[in-house]
Amino acid sequence: MKALIDAARAVRENAYAPYSGYKVGAALLGKSGRIYAGCNFENASFGAGACAERVALGAAIAAGERRFDAICVCGGDLSVTPCGICRQALAEFTNNNNLRVICCAPEGDEVREYTLGELLPFGFTLKA
Ligand code: THU
């Protein structure tokens, strides 16, 4: 998972977060082995920005990848986890919510790992 963590940390540097000051990087590992990176970007019209996780997800979808093994999220410290909307967005593309969610700080060896199912029990689905 080092490559995934490195990718999340690297793309976090590109985050555009002048309003919150909170930079986030995300790196999504596709079943193909490819990694898709995204960072948050904000806007003077606050609702026009997006979270790092959904930017990474969009990059993956645009590349044709729809199944994933893991996502690494790098925020300001270890307490970062994907927001509720991003959890729901990721759930659309996982089986049984078994996506690994690896959360890390910009530096240090420690990570916190969850499954998407732990973070989003009873997420919305149209499937029976
Ligand atoms: N943010 C993310 O990019 N991912 C998350 O999981 C939580 C929040 C961003 C949105 C906003 O640009 C900033 O962090 C502060 O909320």
Side-chain angles (χ1 to χ4, degrees):
M1 284 301 131
K2 186 176 182 312
L4 202 63
I5 293 168
D6 287 347
R9 285 175 168 165
V11 73
R12 180 179 175 274
E13 298 295 319
N14 295 336
Y16 177 73
Y19 303 102
S20 73
Y22 194 83
K23 293 184 166 198
V24 186
L28 195 52
L29 177 62
K31 294 277 184 195
S32 69
R34 285 185 62 184
I35 289 174
Y36 305 90
C39 60
N40 59 328
F41 64 91
E42 299 180 348
N43 192 281
S45 176
F46 288 178
C51 291
E53 295 90 329
R54 277 175 289 143
V55 173
L57 182 60
I61 299 302
E65 185 122 29
R66 294 184 179 174
R67 290 291 155 203
F68 308 99
D69 285 325
I71 186 168
C72 178
V73 181
C74 178
D77 61 38
L78 270 177
S79 68
V80 66
T81 60
C83 80
I85 295 173
C86 290
R87 295 176 195 196
Q88 178 70 35
L90 291 165
E92 182 81 13
F93 301 97
T94 65
N95 292 323
N96 304 319
N97 276 343
N98 57 359
L99 182 77
R100 293 174 67 189
V101 181
I102 298 159
C103 301
C104 70
E107 291 176 7
D109 293 334
E110 199 179 343
V111 300
R112 290 185 186 163
E113 181 167 341
Y114 314 90
T115 65
L116 187 60
E118 287 174 323
L119 296 177
L120 186 72
F122 307 106
F124 179 72
T125 177
L126 290 174
K127 294 170 198 143

